[in-house]
Each structure stands twice: as C-alpha cells, then as structure tokens.
Amino acid sequence: SSVLLAAYLALSLLWSKPLYDEEVHSLIGNGLLSALFIMALVICLVRFTHFQVWLIEAIVLAACLSGAGYLITAIFLDETVTEATIGRWLSPSVGAIGFGFAAVLAINLTLGRINRRFKVFWACASTLLVIACVHMNIDYVSFALLASVTALSLGRLWRVRDFGRALIWIGLCFILIVVSILVLNLVIESGRQMIWTSVLDLIYDERIAFGYGIRSQPEFHVDCGLELVAAAVDCAWRHPHNLYVSTMFYGGIVGIGALILLMISSISVTLESHHPSRWLTLSLLTYGFAVLMFDGNRLISKIDFIWLVFWLPVAYAAFLELDEKLKDNELDVSVRPTRDPKIEPA
C-alpha cells in the first residue's frame, strides 16, 4: 500500500502545472527511492539477524553525538542549531524532530531487553536526547514525543500481570495522557489551523477529487495578526505545515484516503503482531503520525526527516506483517527470518 501511495503521488505529475521541467525527473526518482527504501529495509530486517539492533543503536549513537555537540555549543557558545560547529541541523524544527525520533529509540532500548547490560547507558542517552529535543523549544515535537512515550507506556501496561506494577504503569499513563493533552492544547492555540483552513478552502473550491498534483507550487495567505505568521513574508506560506493537508492538496480525496488507509493498516498490523518489536514500531508510528500533523510537505521527496519519521516506521510495520505471514506459512519457508536472541519482549 505504501508503494501504491507513492506511485499515485508520482502519477499526479500528469495534472500538475507546469508539467515539464527539471523537477519532473527528480520527483519520479524520489518516488522510486521511497519505495525501494521500504523494500530494502524489510528485506534487511528479514534476512539479517542483528540488523534491527544495529540500525537502532547506530541512529541513537549518531544522534547522541549530534545532541551533545549541539547542547555544548548552544549553552557555552550561544550558537543556534543551524550555526553550530558540531551537531548542525537544517533548521531547529528538523533538529528537534531528529532528536525526538532518536529519543524514542533510546527509550525503547532502555525499557526493552535489548542489550540489558547497557540499560544505564541507554537511559543516559535517552535523557540527553530528550534534553536536546526540548531545548529546541518546538512545541509540536514535544507533543509527539509525549504521545509516543504514552503509547509505549500503554503497551507496557498491556503486558504487565503483576497488580502492583500495573498500578504504577496506570498512574504513569494517566499523567502522560494529561500532559500530552495540555501540550497539544498549547500547540493548537498557536494558530496553525488558520494555515490549514486557507488550504482546505482552496481544495474544496477547485480540485477536491485528485488535487493539484505533486509539482504544484502553492502559496497560502493567512491573517497577518497571528503570532505564528508574523515572521512570514507577506503573511504567505509555501506549504500548510501539515502532511495530511498537504497530501490532500497534492492528491485530493484519493491521496488523503490512501494515506489514511496506509496509516490504519500500519497500526492494525502492529497491534495484531506478536513480534517482540511491535511496541517499538507502535511508538515510532505514533511519533511520526503526531509530528506530521504539524510539519511536512511532500511524502515523496529527497532524503529528509520524512524518510525517518514516516517511511521507516511504515517499513517496520510491513516487516511485522511479513513476519506474521511467515509464521502462518503463507509464504515460502526459504525466506523465513531468524529471530534475534537479543530482541525479547520486555
């Protein structure tokens, strides 16, 4: 379904305006790369026993180096994340998204039974990445991180059979849910929905079925009195800062419908799976889907944070579905994956 969604968005080139220029080949290539990334990741997860652990640890360690460099330069040299000598990111929002994603991975390493001897190290890494993420002061990323940890805690509660431990996790889940709602309320009060409203009005007025095409270059004007848009040139935005609204703009009802079906199927497959990494996948899906409520533009693009927070978790969900089919003998036994002994249910 992810390949079909990428193919449809690439096909929307046919009704984009203008049709022919140097961007066409780039967008087709990006669509193919997105599909190949998912297939390659699933193949690696199936074929190579330790690939999942190595991938997670590599991302966390790389993010820790960047996060430590950023915090040192920000605190002692007063440099921004876009100017930092070490740990530089494209923008504060992209940096916060990256640190938040790595923090979710590190928290999974801390709570799970992956490399249990290094729990203290992964706990320190989690703390460092959370501090770096929060220091960016990007409100919607903080909300996404809270939502992801909440999903992970609910999964932990689901597995607990001891009454005393269950009460502790119930209390923690309640606190996380309340704090998540409060942070979400702050994000909504910032006025981002005004950008979305102008985009949706444009879609409903003209091209609600198939959208404007993936190559369209929109410009949305909103109320200049809003604090959120005060820094925008002529109070205009080049995209709605919401991947779902953007997908509807580029692909219409068909595009957003396909995206919603992909999200539902990914979450459904994850919840139905019995693989030890299902809770990791659920937390990554939650984080990605929450972040993309307030950021993101095109699903098919050059390698950027969309690959990290959307395509990678979707690939993990595809792997879980394949794993269930292999256990049910629906596929040839020759492609059956070998379980990593380091990955056990927590």
PDB file of all heavy atoms in Angstrom, residues 181-212:
ATOM      1  N   ILE A 181      -2.246  16.098  26.524  1.00  0.00           N
ATOM      2  CA  ILE A 181      -3.408  16.917  26.161  1.00  0.00           C
ATOM      3  C   ILE A 181      -3.119  18.398  26.398  1.00  0.00           C
ATOM      4  O   ILE A 181      -3.469  19.257  25.577  1.00  0.00           O
ATOM      5  CB  ILE A 181      -4.650  16.463  26.949  1.00  0.00           C
ATOM      6  CG1 ILE A 181      -5.072  15.051  26.513  1.00  0.00           C
ATOM      7  CG2 ILE A 181      -5.809  17.444  26.748  1.00  0.00           C
ATOM      8  CD1 ILE A 181      -6.182  14.454  27.351  1.00  0.00           C
ATOM      9  N   LEU A 182      -2.458  18.712  27.505  1.00  0.00           N
ATOM     10  CA  LEU A 182      -2.137  20.105  27.808  1.00  0.00           C
ATOM     11  C   LEU A 182      -1.171  20.688  26.775  1.00  0.00           C
ATOM     12  O   LEU A 182      -1.341  21.825  26.315  1.00  0.00           O
ATOM     13  CB  LEU A 182      -1.523  20.208  29.207  1.00  0.00           C
ATOM     14  CG  LEU A 182      -2.457  19.887  30.383  1.00  0.00           C
ATOM     15  CD1 LEU A 182      -1.684  19.910  31.696  1.00  0.00           C
ATOM     16  CD2 LEU A 182      -3.632  20.865  30.433  1.00  0.00           C
ATOM     17  N   VAL A 183      -0.158  19.903  26.399  1.00  0.00           N
ATOM     18  CA  VAL A 183       0.796  20.378  25.396  1.00  0.00           C
ATOM     19  C   VAL A 183       0.115  20.525  24.040  1.00  0.00           C
ATOM     20  O   VAL A 183       0.366  21.490  23.303  1.00  0.00           O
ATOM     21  CB  VAL A 183       2.004  19.415  25.304  1.00  0.00           C
ATOM     22  CG1 VAL A 183       2.935  19.826  24.172  1.00  0.00           C
ATOM     23  CG2 VAL A 183       2.761  19.390  26.627  1.00  0.00           C
ATOM     24  N   LEU A 184      -0.754  19.572  23.692  1.00  0.00           N
ATOM     25  CA  LEU A 184      -1.490  19.664  22.426  1.00  0.00           C
ATOM     26  C   LEU A 184      -2.338  20.924  22.382  1.00  0.00           C
ATOM     27  O   LEU A 184      -2.443  21.590  21.336  1.00  0.00           O
ATOM     28  CB  LEU A 184      -2.368  18.429  22.236  1.00  0.00           C
ATOM     29  CG  LEU A 184      -3.253  18.411  20.987  1.00  0.00           C
ATOM     30  CD1 LEU A 184      -2.417  18.494  19.714  1.00  0.00           C
ATOM     31  CD2 LEU A 184      -4.136  17.172  20.966  1.00  0.00           C
ATOM     32  N   ASN A 185      -2.924  21.275  23.515  1.00  0.00           N
ATOM     33  CA  ASN A 185      -3.732  22.495  23.568  1.00  0.00           C
ATOM     34  C   ASN A 185      -2.881  23.725  23.293  1.00  0.00           C
ATOM     35  O   ASN A 185      -3.311  24.656  22.584  1.00  0.00           O
ATOM     36  CB  ASN A 185      -4.387  22.599  24.942  1.00  0.00           C
ATOM     37  CG  ASN A 185      -5.360  23.764  25.034  1.00  0.00           C
ATOM     38  OD1 ASN A 185      -6.305  23.861  24.251  1.00  0.00           O
ATOM     39  ND2 ASN A 185      -5.120  24.659  25.974  1.00  0.00           N
ATOM     40  N   LEU A 186      -1.653  23.746  23.805  1.00  0.00           N
ATOM     41  CA  LEU A 186      -0.739  24.859  23.527  1.00  0.00           C
ATOM     42  C   LEU A 186      -0.374  24.924  22.047  1.00  0.00           C
ATOM     43  O   LEU A 186      -0.271  26.010  21.462  1.00  0.00           O
ATOM     44  CB  LEU A 186       0.530  24.711  24.370  1.00  0.00           C
ATOM     45  CG  LEU A 186       0.377  24.865  25.883  1.00  0.00           C
ATOM     46  CD1 LEU A 186       1.700  24.577  26.575  1.00  0.00           C
ATOM     47  CD2 LEU A 186      -0.124  26.265  26.238  1.00  0.00           C
ATOM     48  N   VAL A 187      -0.183  23.756  21.431  1.00  0.00           N
ATOM     49  CA  VAL A 187       0.152  23.718  20.013  1.00  0.00           C
ATOM     50  C   VAL A 187      -1.004  24.257  19.182  1.00  0.00           C
ATOM     51  O   VAL A 187      -0.814  25.054  18.246  1.00  0.00           O
ATOM     52  CB  VAL A 187       0.496  22.274  19.578  1.00  0.00           C
ATOM     53  CG1 VAL A 187       0.771  22.234  18.076  1.00  0.00           C
ATOM     54  CG2 VAL A 187       1.714  21.758  20.348  1.00  0.00           C
ATOM     55  N   ILE A 188      -2.211  23.851  19.517  1.00  0.00           N
ATOM     56  CA  ILE A 188      -3.390  24.294  18.760  1.00  0.00           C
ATOM     57  C   ILE A 188      -3.606  25.794  18.906  1.00  0.00           C
ATOM     58  O   ILE A 188      -3.990  26.479  17.956  1.00  0.00           O
ATOM     59  CB  ILE A 188      -4.639  23.505  19.222  1.00  0.00           C
ATOM     60  CG1 ILE A 188      -4.496  22.029  18.830  1.00  0.00           C
ATOM     61  CG2 ILE A 188      -5.909  24.104  18.624  1.00  0.00           C
ATOM     62  CD1 ILE A 188      -5.604  21.156  19.344  1.00  0.00           C
ATOM     63  N   GLU A 189      -3.331  26.322  20.099  1.00  0.00           N
ATOM     64  CA  GLU A 189      -3.529  27.755  20.333  1.00  0.00           C
ATOM     65  C   GLU A 189      -2.554  28.620  19.540  1.00  0.00           C
ATOM     66  O   GLU A 189      -2.753  29.829  19.425  1.00  0.00           O
ATOM     67  CB  GLU A 189      -3.375  28.054  21.828  1.00  0.00           C
ATOM     68  CG  GLU A 189      -4.553  27.583  22.665  1.00  0.00           C
ATOM     69  CD  GLU A 189      -4.372  27.900  24.138  1.00  0.00           C
ATOM     70  OE1 GLU A 189      -3.251  28.343  24.507  1.00  0.00           O
ATOM     71  OE2 GLU A 189      -5.325  27.722  24.906  1.00  0.00           O
ATOM     72  N   SER A 190      -1.504  28.026  18.974  1.00  0.00           N
ATOM     73  CA  SER A 190      -0.530  28.805  18.207  1.00  0.00           C
ATOM     74  C   SER A 190      -1.089  29.301  16.884  1.00  0.00           C
ATOM     75  O   SER A 190      -0.499  30.178  16.249  1.00  0.00           O
ATOM     76  CB  SER A 190       0.725  27.961  17.953  1.00  0.00           C
ATOM     77  OG  SER A 190       0.428  26.848  17.136  1.00  0.00           O
ATOM     78  N   GLY A 191      -2.208  28.735  16.420  1.00  0.00           N
ATOM     79  CA  GLY A 191      -2.879  29.243  15.224  1.00  0.00           C
ATOM     80  C   GLY A 191      -2.542  28.538  13.928  1.00  0.00           C
ATOM     81  O   GLY A 191      -2.858  29.046  12.850  1.00  0.00           O
ATOM     82  N   ARG A 192      -1.909  27.365  14.003  1.00  0.00           N
ATOM     83  CA  ARG A 192      -1.551  26.664  12.771  1.00  0.00           C
ATOM     84  C   ARG A 192      -2.770  26.295  11.935  1.00  0.00           C
ATOM     85  O   ARG A 192      -2.688  26.200  10.712  1.00  0.00           O
ATOM     86  CB  ARG A 192      -0.777  25.378  13.103  1.00  0.00           C
ATOM     87  CG  ARG A 192       0.654  25.627  13.514  1.00  0.00           C
ATOM     88  CD  ARG A 192       1.354  24.322  13.851  1.00  0.00           C
ATOM     89  NE  ARG A 192       2.759  24.533  14.146  1.00  0.00           N
ATOM     90  CZ  ARG A 192       3.221  24.905  15.332  1.00  0.00           C
ATOM     91  NH1 ARG A 192       2.382  25.108  16.322  1.00  0.00           N
ATOM     92  NH2 ARG A 192       4.515  25.076  15.521  1.00  0.00           N
ATOM     93  N   GLN A 193      -3.914  26.088  12.596  1.00  0.00           N
ATOM     94  CA  GLN A 193      -5.107  25.681  11.861  1.00  0.00           C
ATOM     95  C   GLN A 193      -5.582  26.755  10.884  1.00  0.00           C
ATOM     96  O   GLN A 193      -6.314  26.451   9.933  1.00  0.00           O
ATOM     97  CB  GLN A 193      -6.244  25.307  12.821  1.00  0.00           C
ATOM     98  CG  GLN A 193      -6.734  26.445  13.705  1.00  0.00           C
ATOM     99  CD  GLN A 193      -5.940  26.588  14.978  1.00  0.00           C
ATOM    100  OE1 GLN A 193      -4.830  26.086  15.093  1.00  0.00           O
ATOM    101  NE2 GLN A 193      -6.516  27.292  15.944  1.00  0.00           N
ATOM    102  N   MET A 194      -5.144  28.007  11.073  1.00  0.00           N
ATOM    103  CA  MET A 194      -5.509  29.055  10.132  1.00  0.00           C
ATOM    104  C   MET A 194      -4.857  28.810   8.770  1.00  0.00           C
ATOM    105  O   MET A 194      -5.444  29.107   7.728  1.00  0.00           O
ATOM    106  CB  MET A 194      -5.081  30.418  10.684  1.00  0.00           C
ATOM    107  CG  MET A 194      -5.801  30.831  11.950  1.00  0.00           C
ATOM    108  SD  MET A 194      -7.596  30.943  11.717  1.00  0.00           S
ATOM    109  CE  MET A 194      -7.679  32.297  10.550  1.00  0.00           C
ATOM    110  N   ILE A 195      -3.629  28.268   8.785  1.00  0.00           N
ATOM    111  CA  ILE A 195      -2.971  27.920   7.518  1.00  0.00           C
ATOM    112  C   ILE A 195      -3.724  26.786   6.848  1.00  0.00           C
ATOM    113  O   ILE A 195      -3.979  26.812   5.641  1.00  0.00           O
ATOM    114  CB  ILE A 195      -1.502  27.517   7.766  1.00  0.00           C
ATOM    115  CG1 ILE A 195      -0.776  28.594   8.556  1.00  0.00           C
ATOM    116  CG2 ILE A 195      -0.782  27.251   6.452  1.00  0.00           C
ATOM    117  CD1 ILE A 195       0.643  28.213   8.948  1.00  0.00           C
ATOM    118  N   TRP A 196      -4.119  25.788   7.639  1.00  0.00           N
ATOM    119  CA  TRP A 196      -4.817  24.629   7.076  1.00  0.00           C
ATOM    120  C   TRP A 196      -6.157  25.046   6.469  1.00  0.00           C
ATOM    121  O   TRP A 196      -6.552  24.540   5.412  1.00  0.00           O
ATOM    122  CB  TRP A 196      -5.051  23.577   8.150  1.00  0.00           C
ATOM    123  CG  TRP A 196      -3.826  23.201   8.928  1.00  0.00           C
ATOM    124  CD1 TRP A 196      -2.516  23.372   8.545  1.00  0.00           C
ATOM    125  CD2 TRP A 196      -3.769  22.606  10.226  1.00  0.00           C
ATOM    126  NE1 TRP A 196      -1.669  22.927   9.515  1.00  0.00           N
ATOM    127  CE2 TRP A 196      -2.395  22.446  10.564  1.00  0.00           C
ATOM    128  CE3 TRP A 196      -4.736  22.186  11.133  1.00  0.00           C
ATOM    129  CZ2 TRP A 196      -1.986  21.884  11.771  1.00  0.00           C
ATOM    130  CZ3 TRP A 196      -4.326  21.619  12.336  1.00  0.00           C
ATOM    131  CH2 TRP A 196      -2.968  21.477  12.641  1.00  0.00           C
ATOM    132  N   THR A 197      -6.835  25.972   7.131  1.00  0.00           N
ATOM    133  CA  THR A 197      -8.158  26.384   6.649  1.00  0.00           C
ATOM    134  C   THR A 197      -8.072  27.015   5.269  1.00  0.00           C
ATOM    135  O   THR A 197      -8.882  26.717   4.383  1.00  0.00           O
ATOM    136  CB  THR A 197      -8.781  27.381   7.639  1.00  0.00           C
ATOM    137  OG1 THR A 197      -8.912  26.758   8.922  1.00  0.00           O
ATOM    138  CG2 THR A 197     -10.157  27.823   7.157  1.00  0.00           C
ATOM    139  N   SER A 198      -7.074  27.866   5.050  1.00  0.00           N
ATOM    140  CA  SER A 198      -6.935  28.512   3.744  1.00  0.00           C
ATOM    141  C   SER A 198      -6.623  27.492   2.658  1.00  0.00           C
ATOM    142  O   SER A 198      -7.080  27.618   1.519  1.00  0.00           O
ATOM    143  CB  SER A 198      -5.842  29.583   3.796  1.00  0.00           C
ATOM    144  OG  SER A 198      -4.581  29.019   4.108  1.00  0.00           O
ATOM    145  N   VAL A 199      -5.852  26.443   3.007  1.00  0.00           N
ATOM    146  CA  VAL A 199      -5.537  25.398   2.034  1.00  0.00           C
ATOM    147  C   VAL A 199      -6.781  24.580   1.706  1.00  0.00           C
ATOM    148  O   VAL A 199      -7.076  24.308   0.533  1.00  0.00           O
ATOM    149  CB  VAL A 199      -4.423  24.470   2.567  1.00  0.00           C
ATOM    150  CG1 VAL A 199      -4.086  23.394   1.538  1.00  0.00           C
ATOM    151  CG2 VAL A 199      -3.182  25.266   2.904  1.00  0.00           C
ATOM    152  N   LEU A 200      -7.517  24.182   2.721  1.00  0.00           N
ATOM    153  CA  LEU A 200      -8.712  23.366   2.501  1.00  0.00           C
ATOM    154  C   LEU A 200      -9.758  24.121   1.690  1.00  0.00           C
ATOM    155  O   LEU A 200     -10.440  23.530   0.839  1.00  0.00           O
ATOM    156  CB  LEU A 200      -9.292  22.928   3.847  1.00  0.00           C
ATOM    157  CG  LEU A 200      -8.427  21.954   4.653  1.00  0.00           C
ATOM    158  CD1 LEU A 200      -9.027  21.712   6.031  1.00  0.00           C
ATOM    159  CD2 LEU A 200      -8.262  20.629   3.908  1.00  0.00           C
ATOM    160  N   ASP A 201      -9.899  25.435   1.943  1.00  0.00           N
ATOM    161  CA  ASP A 201     -10.842  26.227   1.143  1.00  0.00           C
ATOM    162  C   ASP A 201     -10.454  26.201  -0.331  1.00  0.00           C
ATOM    163  O   ASP A 201     -11.314  26.085  -1.211  1.00  0.00           O
ATOM    164  CB  ASP A 201     -10.871  27.678   1.647  1.00  0.00           C
ATOM    165  CG  ASP A 201     -11.546  27.804   3.001  1.00  0.00           C
ATOM    166  OD1 ASP A 201     -12.282  26.877   3.376  1.00  0.00           O
ATOM    167  OD2 ASP A 201     -11.322  28.826   3.688  1.00  0.00           O
ATOM    168  N   LEU A 202      -9.147  26.279  -0.602  1.00  0.00           N
ATOM    169  CA  LEU A 202      -8.662  26.257  -1.980  1.00  0.00           C
ATOM    170  C   LEU A 202      -8.947  24.901  -2.632  1.00  0.00           C
ATOM    171  O   LEU A 202      -9.341  24.825  -3.796  1.00  0.00           O
ATOM    172  CB  LEU A 202      -7.157  26.548  -2.000  1.00  0.00           C
ATOM    173  CG  LEU A 202      -6.482  26.696  -3.366  1.00  0.00           C
ATOM    174  CD1 LEU A 202      -7.086  27.858  -4.137  1.00  0.00           C
ATOM    175  CD2 LEU A 202      -4.976  26.900  -3.188  1.00  0.00           C
ATOM    176  N   ILE A 203      -8.784  23.833  -1.869  1.00  0.00           N
ATOM    177  CA  ILE A 203      -9.033  22.485  -2.399  1.00  0.00           C
ATOM    178  C   ILE A 203     -10.514  22.304  -2.699  1.00  0.00           C
ATOM    179  O   ILE A 203     -10.905  21.833  -3.782  1.00  0.00           O
ATOM    180  CB  ILE A 203      -8.558  21.418  -1.395  1.00  0.00           C
ATOM    181  CG1 ILE A 203      -7.049  21.524  -1.166  1.00  0.00           C
ATOM    182  CG2 ILE A 203      -8.907  20.014  -1.897  1.00  0.00           C
ATOM    183  CD1 ILE A 203      -6.553  20.682  -0.008  1.00  0.00           C
ATOM    184  N   TYR A 204     -11.369  22.658  -1.746  1.00  0.00           N
ATOM    185  CA  TYR A 204     -12.806  22.456  -1.920  1.00  0.00           C
ATOM    186  C   TYR A 204     -13.366  23.285  -3.075  1.00  0.00           C
ATOM    187  O   TYR A 204     -14.312  22.879  -3.748  1.00  0.00           O
ATOM    188  CB  TYR A 204     -13.552  22.807  -0.630  1.00  0.00           C
ATOM    189  CG  TYR A 204     -13.294  21.843   0.510  1.00  0.00           C
ATOM    190  CD1 TYR A 204     -13.129  22.305   1.815  1.00  0.00           C
ATOM    191  CD2 TYR A 204     -13.204  20.472   0.273  1.00  0.00           C
ATOM    192  CE1 TYR A 204     -12.885  21.427   2.860  1.00  0.00           C
ATOM    193  CE2 TYR A 204     -12.965  19.589   1.322  1.00  0.00           C
ATOM    194  CZ  TYR A 204     -12.808  20.067   2.603  1.00  0.00           C
ATOM    195  OH  TYR A 204     -12.556  19.192   3.631  1.00  0.00           O
ATOM    196  N   ASP A 205     -12.775  24.437  -3.322  1.00  0.00           N
ATOM    197  CA  ASP A 205     -13.282  25.311  -4.378  1.00  0.00           C
ATOM    198  C   ASP A 205     -12.987  24.781  -5.777  1.00  0.00           C
ATOM    199  O   ASP A 205     -13.742  25.055  -6.712  1.00  0.00           O
ATOM    200  CB  ASP A 205     -12.682  26.720  -4.232  1.00  0.00           C
ATOM    201  CG  ASP A 205     -13.243  27.454  -3.030  1.00  0.00           C
ATOM    202  OD1 ASP A 205     -14.301  27.022  -2.540  1.00  0.00           O
ATOM    203  OD2 ASP A 205     -12.614  28.429  -2.581  1.00  0.00           O
ATOM    204  N   GLU A 206     -11.893  24.030  -5.944  1.00  0.00           N
ATOM    205  CA  GLU A 206     -11.489  23.678  -7.309  1.00  0.00           C
ATOM    206  C   GLU A 206     -11.232  22.195  -7.547  1.00  0.00           C
ATOM    207  O   GLU A 206     -11.847  21.586  -8.396  1.00  0.00           O
ATOM    208  CB  GLU A 206     -10.231  24.485  -7.701  1.00  0.00           C
ATOM    209  CG  GLU A 206     -10.472  25.993  -7.711  1.00  0.00           C
ATOM    210  CD  GLU A 206      -9.278  26.750  -8.255  1.00  0.00           C
ATOM    211  OE1 GLU A 206      -8.593  26.220  -9.137  1.00  0.00           O
ATOM    212  OE2 GLU A 206      -9.035  27.875  -7.790  1.00  0.00           O
ATOM    213  N   ARG A 207     -10.325  21.552  -6.797  1.00  0.00           N
ATOM    214  CA  ARG A 207      -9.873  20.204  -7.164  1.00  0.00           C
ATOM    215  C   ARG A 207      -9.930  19.259  -5.968  1.00  0.00           C
ATOM    216  O   ARG A 207      -8.905  18.786  -5.484  1.00  0.00           O
ATOM    217  CB  ARG A 207      -8.444  20.248  -7.708  1.00  0.00           C
ATOM    218  CG  ARG A 207      -8.291  21.096  -8.951  1.00  0.00           C
ATOM    219  CD  ARG A 207      -6.918  20.901  -9.552  1.00  0.00           C
ATOM    220  NE  ARG A 207      -6.729  21.712 -10.745  1.00  0.00           N
ATOM    221  CZ  ARG A 207      -5.629  21.694 -11.496  1.00  0.00           C
ATOM    222  NH1 ARG A 207      -4.637  20.888 -11.170  1.00  0.00           N
ATOM    223  NH2 ARG A 207      -5.529  22.463 -12.558  1.00  0.00           N
ATOM    224  N   ILE A 208     -11.105  18.952  -5.526  1.00  0.00           N
ATOM    225  CA  ILE A 208     -11.242  18.124  -4.340  1.00  0.00           C
ATOM    226  C   ILE A 208     -10.965  16.648  -4.618  1.00  0.00           C
ATOM    227  O   ILE A 208     -10.505  15.918  -3.742  1.00  0.00           O
ATOM    228  CB  ILE A 208     -12.661  18.296  -3.726  1.00  0.00           C
ATOM    229  CG1 ILE A 208     -12.716  17.603  -2.355  1.00  0.00           C
ATOM    230  CG2 ILE A 208     -13.724  17.737  -4.667  1.00  0.00           C
ATOM    231  CD1 ILE A 208     -13.976  17.889  -1.591  1.00  0.00           C
ATOM    232  N   ALA A 209     -11.221  16.163  -5.822  1.00  0.00           N
ATOM    233  CA  ALA A 209     -11.099  14.730  -6.127  1.00  0.00           C
ATOM    234  C   ALA A 209      -9.646  14.275  -6.227  1.00  0.00           C
ATOM    235  O   ALA A 209      -9.212  13.361  -5.515  1.00  0.00           O
ATOM    236  CB  ALA A 209     -11.847  14.400  -7.410  1.00  0.00           C
ATOM    237  N   PHE A 210      -8.863  14.911  -7.109  1.00  0.00           N
ATOM    238  CA  PHE A 210      -7.494  14.453  -7.372  1.00  0.00           C
ATOM    239  C   PHE A 210      -6.426  15.475  -6.986  1.00  0.00           C
ATOM    240  O   PHE A 210      -5.232  15.211  -7.170  1.00  0.00           O
ATOM    241  CB  PHE A 210      -7.343  14.095  -8.851  1.00  0.00           C
ATOM    242  CG  PHE A 210      -8.266  12.993  -9.291  1.00  0.00           C
ATOM    243  CD1 PHE A 210      -9.402  13.269 -10.024  1.00  0.00           C
ATOM    244  CD2 PHE A 210      -7.998  11.678  -8.951  1.00  0.00           C
ATOM    245  CE1 PHE A 210     -10.261  12.255 -10.418  1.00  0.00           C
ATOM    246  CE2 PHE A 210      -8.839  10.655  -9.346  1.00  0.00           C
ATOM    247  CZ  PHE A 210      -9.989  10.943 -10.082  1.00  0.00           C
ATOM    248  N   GLY A 211      -6.812  16.626  -6.481  1.00  0.00           N
ATOM    249  CA  GLY A 211      -5.846  17.608  -6.027  1.00  0.00           C
ATOM    250  C   GLY A 211      -5.149  18.345  -7.156  1.00  0.00           C
ATOM    251  O   GLY A 211      -5.500  18.218  -8.333  1.00  0.00           O
ATOM    252  N   TYR A 212      -4.121  19.095  -6.804  1.00  0.00           N
ATOM    253  CA  TYR A 212      -3.422  19.956  -7.757  1.00  0.00           C
ATOM    254  C   TYR A 212      -2.181  19.299  -8.365  1.00  0.00           C
ATOM    255  O   TYR A 212      -1.561  19.875  -9.247  1.00  0.00           O
ATOM    256  CB  TYR A 212      -3.003  21.258  -7.065  1.00  0.00           C
ATOM    257  CG  TYR A 212      -4.145  22.210  -6.845  1.00  0.00           C
ATOM    258  CD1 TYR A 212      -4.998  22.063  -5.748  1.00  0.00           C
ATOM    259  CD2 TYR A 212      -4.392  23.262  -7.722  1.00  0.00           C
ATOM    260  CE1 TYR A 212      -6.049  22.940  -5.527  1.00  0.00           C
ATOM    261  CE2 TYR A 212      -5.441  24.145  -7.510  1.00  0.00           C
ATOM    262  CZ  TYR A 212      -6.260  23.972  -6.418  1.00  0.00           C
ATOM    263  OH  TYR A 212      -7.312  24.840  -6.216  1.00  0.00           O
TER     264      TYR A 212
END
